[in-house]
């Protein structure tokens, strides 16, 4: 064990559990073994990690027992759970319309030029509402993403939504 590990353990004993969402475009995946190891190490240190995947991993990525455990405990946003997706959007637009619409506007401002870019940002927005809803359900207000890809856009929008809905919390 490294000195930093014991310092973190001793600091976290008296403190509230740290909760973090880890988001990848696909998790677990062969190319994300480093993320799996990082998640396992942080959990051993007492950090509560909830893993999210934009797309559900396929069986070809489940090469080890650890991969299968990660697969079973990871919330996949896609394929969508249509009722949950519509319920999350409806509940949010009715309870926080300004936050909903301002985050939607942010998504569209971030779009690359053209119709295709706007369409993809609308998908990311729809996915971010699902992610934010799940994070809120778990009491999470920190989303960690390793790579600059779709997951980063979705996390950015979910955090913006969280800040707009709950400005008193640090997202």
């Amino acid at each position: 064990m490294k000195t930093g590990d014991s310092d973190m353990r001793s600091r976290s004993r008296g403190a509230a559990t740290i909760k973090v969402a880890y988001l990848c475009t696909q998790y677990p995946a062969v190319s994300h073994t480093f993320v799996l190891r990082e998640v396992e190490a942080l959990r051993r240190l007492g950090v509560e990690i909830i893993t999210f995947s934009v797309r559900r991993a396929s069986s070809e990525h489940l090469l080890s027992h650890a991969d299968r455990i990660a697969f079973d405990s990871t919330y996949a946003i896609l394929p969508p759970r249509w009722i949950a997706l519509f319920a999350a959007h409806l509940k949010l637009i009715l309870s926080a319309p300004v936050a909903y619409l301002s985050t939607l506007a942010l998504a569209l401002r971030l779009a690359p030029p053209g119709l295709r870019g706007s369409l993809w940002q609308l998908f990311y927005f729809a996915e971010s509402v699902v992610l934010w809803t799940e994070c809120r359900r778990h009491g999470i207000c920190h989303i960690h993403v390793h790579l600059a890809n779709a997951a980063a856009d979705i996390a950015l929008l979910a955090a913006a939504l969280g800040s707009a809905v709950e400005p008193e919390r640090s997202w």
Side-chain angles (χ1 to χ4, degrees):
M1 176 175 12
K2 297 177 188 155
T3 306
D5 293 348
S6 63
D7 290 346
M8 186 170 184
R9 277 195 191 125
S10 63
R11 280 192 302 248
S12 66
R13 279 188 196 124
T17 302
I18 300 167
K19 293 183 178 183
V20 179
Y22 261 60
L23 177 66
C24 294
T25 53
Q26 189 173 21
Y27 181 82
V30 174
S31 61
H32 291 144
T33 302
F34 73 99
V35 176
L36 177 64
R37 290 183 180 147
E38 184 175 304
V39 166
E40 289 173 341
L42 287 169
R43 285 178 174 155
R44 283 192 301 274
L45 292 172
V47 179
E48 185 178 335
I49 306 283
I50 307 293
T51 53
F52 294 89
S53 180
V54 176
R55 289 182 303 282
R56 174 143 320 273
S58 60
S59 59
E60 65 200 30
H61 289 282
L62 308 179
L63 303 179
S64 68
H65 180 66
D67 290 336
R68 288 184 287 284
I69 290 171
F71 176 84
D72 290 340
S73 65
T74 297
Y75 183 94
I77 298 169
L78 299 175
R81 297 161 182 85
W82 291 108
I83 293 173
L85 177 98
F86 289 127
H89 280 266
L90 183 62
K91 182 177 179 182
L92 188 57
I93 199 163
L94 292 175
S95 65
V98 173
Y100 185 91
L101 294 173
S102 66
T103 306
L104 175 59
L106 172 63
L108 293 173
R109 281 194 312 274
L110 294 173
L115 182 60
R116 184 173 190 256
S118 296
L119 183 62
W120 279 107
Q121 285 301 122
L122 289 174
F123 291 143
Y124 297 160
F125 171 72
E127 294 159 5
S128 74
V129 171
V130 173
L131 176 62
W132 175 79
T133 300
E134 286 299 309
C135 285
R136 190 173 193 201
R137 187 171 72 81
H138 288 284
I140 295 170
C141 60
H142 180 84
I143 305 168
H144 181 78
V145 178
H146 269 286
L147 305 171
N149 53 25
D153 283 0
I154 294 164
L156 180 141
L157 294 171
L161 186 56
S163 293
V165 172
E166 303 172 297
E168 69 281 358
R169 292 182 75 187
S170 176
W171 276 82

